[in-house]
Amino acid sequence: MTSEMQTAPSNRHVVAALDGSVAGSFVADWAAARAHAMGDRLTLVHVVLPVWVFQVPDEHTLALKRAEDLLGSEAARVRQEYPDLEAATTIATGEPAEALSALSLKAGLMVVGTDRGPGTEGEGFGCVSFQVAVTSRCPVAVIPHNAPGQSSGVVVGVDGSPDAAGALKLAAGEARRLNEELIIVHAVDPHAAGGSPDDVAGKSAEWVNRNFPDISMRILSDPVHTPAEALTEASRGARLLVIGRKGKGGLSVLVGSVAQHILLNLRCPTILS
């Protein structure tokens, strides 16, 4: 087991954060499948709190031992499923969101889990995944523990922003990789003044046709719901949802209101680009 990750090209490295919860195995499985399909390296990581947090030093030692056992068993399991996958493990120390954000500097994708389900109340649920999504320096995939067994389609939200353009490119690539239909969702916020003067969804579809002519695609226009609500509904039963992290807020926000809503109402595995 390594104490730190080796430097690797940022687009060839998937980091999966395991916390010992039910969601952890879903995270490991999803990350391993994607890393294997993309020919990427995989690192399974568990964050242990600093020694000063523990009232008894032996508790910190025990936490480290539990981390080793967790990572060892999960690594063995994914290696059995994907024998040719380059999979490593590492234990990080510190506050979980901060430690994972630091690891994202050397990753092409950070994968985290959440036990927060639709309708769950309370700020304590899903807070680490939310913080990682806000602070990560690479795209973040958030994997729910209750992902639907039967799922299809890659859903992507577009709003004409550069952030959404990046999400569209990533989603089209994922649709090709997964051999799934790409579903382009565009909604005009009914509470916003005015509307969308140009055909955002149509222009997005034209771009996909030019650059990914081999994938199937359809447009889902929603003039009734807010963008966040439209994406939440469209992602029910989807295999994957891809959204821009900031949307039209751009550099003025850490994470947009749509991404915030999605993270708190997760319906399927979701990548924030």
Side-chain angles (χ1 to χ4, degrees):
M1 181 170 299
T2 59
S3 58
E4 62 181 35
M5 294 187 298
Q6 300 294 318
T7 301
S10 61
N11 62 342
R12 307 292 301 191
H13 191 193
V14 176
V15 177
L18 310 183
D19 61 3
S21 70
V22 174
S25 291
F26 288 94
V27 170
D29 289 342
W30 193 94
R34 189 181 190 280
H36 181 261
M38 301 293 288
D40 295 344
R41 296 173 57 240
L42 172 68
T43 295
L44 303 178
V45 60
H46 180 78
V47 181
V48 175
L49 294 173
V51 64
W52 59 265
V53 173
F54 297 87
Q55 296 182 347
V56 180
D58 286 350
E59 293 180 349
H60 182 254
T61 302
L62 180 59
L64 291 173
K65 179 62 169 61
R66 288 173 175 168
E68 290 181 357
D69 292 343
L70 169 67
L71 293 172
S73 62
E74 288 297 295
R77 192 171 60 81
V78 299
R79 286 172 183 146
Q80 184 175 12
E81 181 71 18
Y82 306 102
D84 57 340
L85 175 64
E86 185 181 351
T89 62
T90 188
I91 298 175
T93 301
E95 189 278 323
E98 184 177 325
L100 294 174
S101 179
L103 293 177
S104 73
L105 290 168
K106 296 180 180 179
L109 180 69
M110 174 69 68
V111 186
V112 297
T114 178
D115 283 328
R116 187 185 187 108
T120 302
E121 301 294 337
E123 294 182 358
F125 294 89
C127 59
V128 172
S129 60
F130 184 86
Q131 293 173 39
V132 172
V134 170
T135 61
S136 177
R137 303 297 294 273
C138 69
V140 177
V142 185
I143 313 301
H145 76 286
N146 57 344
Q150 296 294 327
S151 58
S152 63
V154 174
V155 176
V156 61
V158 296
D159 60 9
S161 68
D163 205 44
L168 180 64
K169 180 178 180 180
L170 177 57
E174 290 296 304
R176 172 188 283 171
R177 177 180 72 84
L178 296 170
N179 193 28
E180 292 282 354
E181 179 184 40
L182 178 66
I183 304 168
I184 299 174
V185 178
H186 179 236
V188 178
D189 190 335
H191 303 297
S196 179
D198 56 347
D199 185 7
V200 172
K203 290 181 178 180
S204 298
E206 290 175 3
W207 183 90
V208 172
N209 280 328
R210 288 196 307 270
N211 294 277
F212 294 85
D214 55 330
I215 66 174
S216 61
M217 171 188 58
R218 64 184 167 98
I219 295 173
L220 180 59
S221 296
D222 190 334
V224 178
H225 297 98
T226 65
E229 293 168 343
L231 285 169
T232 299
E233 290 304 309
S235 64
R236 290 180 184 272
R239 190 165 178 183
L240 181 67
L241 169 65
V242 183
I243 59 174
R245 201 176 318 192
K246 300 180 180 182
K248 289 187 175 180
L251 296 176
S252 65
V253 298
L254 291 175
V255 61
S257 59
V258 173
Q260 290 183 41
H261 179 89
I262 294 297
L263 286 171
L264 300 181
N265 298 274
L266 215 60
R267 295 297 194 272
C268 69
T270 299
I271 296 180
L272 288 86
S273 65

